[in-house]
Amino acid sequence: MTNIELYLGLGSNQGERASYLTQAVELLTKRVGEYVRSSAVYESEPWGFACDTPFLNQVVVVRTSLAPKDILREIEAIERDLGRIRSSTQRYTPRTIDIDILLYGESVIDVPPSLVVPHPHIVERRFVLVPLVEVAPTGSHPLLGTTWGDLLTACCDTGWVRRWEGARGER
């Protein structure tokens, strides 16, 4: 299989948030593919649920030869290894790490509920679009054909997203 650029959205709002992002990137590089680039880290308010602790978010690009189902299996293992506990009753909850497949090259994949690419909520989430515009400024949505910048401009999400410069007590 040809090496594909895989775009992943990372998020953490429990514990040492920045450390979880760093550990996730290290494990992704070992298990999924070669590190290509990443956005800055952004802080954002939780999306889809109320919580006092903001998220740290980042988009990471790796080059991979793995099939999407294999990537999903590795991502779920990495999340477990980093202490993520999925709720059986709530979809959105605080977490040590969340890793979403945003894009798999230009591919469109629809194997619901767990493997839908491009990620179905990209256009609704500023915390994804802001770092995505940073790592793929000329890129566009494979189905819509609209640039990431135009999608960010049109995004109805009113949640705040700001570049994170680090905080005391976190790496």
Side-chain angles (χ1 to χ4, degrees):
M1 179 176 282
T2 307
N3 280 339
I4 302 274
E5 279 203 349
L6 171 68
Y7 289 73
L8 300 163
L10 279 59
S12 174
N13 82 325
Q14 283 188 325
E16 295 288 328
R17 302 172 302 163
S19 178
Y20 283 120
L21 294 182
T22 300
Q23 291 176 69
V25 172
E26 290 170 0
L27 291 170
L28 288 164
T29 301
K30 288 178 184 172
R31 298 182 186 179
V32 175
E34 175 190 357
Y35 174 87
V36 176
R37 65 187 171 280
S38 60
S39 70
V41 174
Y42 292 86
E43 192 169 40
S44 65
E45 63 184 304
W47 187 92
F49 69 102
C51 181
D52 292 337
T53 307
F55 273 83
L56 290 186
N57 300 103
Q58 185 175 37
V59 169
V60 175
V61 183
V62 297
R63 193 167 287 115
T64 188
S65 58
L66 295 180
K69 286 184 180 182
D70 295 329
I71 293 166
L72 184 61
R73 186 182 66 248
E74 290 296 338
I75 284 171
E76 289 172 345
I78 290 168
E79 288 177 337
R80 280 190 306 275
D81 290 349
L82 294 178
R84 175 153 185 197
I85 300 169
R86 291 186 181 269
S87 170
S88 60
T89 58
Q90 294 178 298
R91 183 167 180 182
Y92 299 114
T93 61
R95 62 213 56 174
T96 56
I97 192 71
D98 181 42
I99 305 170
D100 289 330
I101 299 173
L102 302 176
L103 301 165
Y104 183 77
E106 295 292 319
S107 297
V108 176
I109 303 162
D110 194 7
V111 185
S114 59
L115 189 55
V116 179
V117 180
H119 192 286
H121 297 294
I122 288 176
V123 300
E124 302 167 4
R125 297 175 172 174
R126 288 181 43 79
F127 69 87
V128 173
L129 287 168
V130 170
L132 189 55
V133 167
E134 182 183 332
V135 296
T138 61
S140 60
H141 194 288
L143 289 170
L144 304 174
T146 308
T147 67
W148 300 121
D150 287 345
L151 288 169
L152 177 58
T153 300
C155 184
C156 294
D157 180 2
T158 59
W160 56 266
V161 176
R162 61 181 172 240
R163 192 177 180 113
W164 188 73
E165 300 300 335
R168 212 170 157 148
E170 285 198 72
R171 289 179 242 160

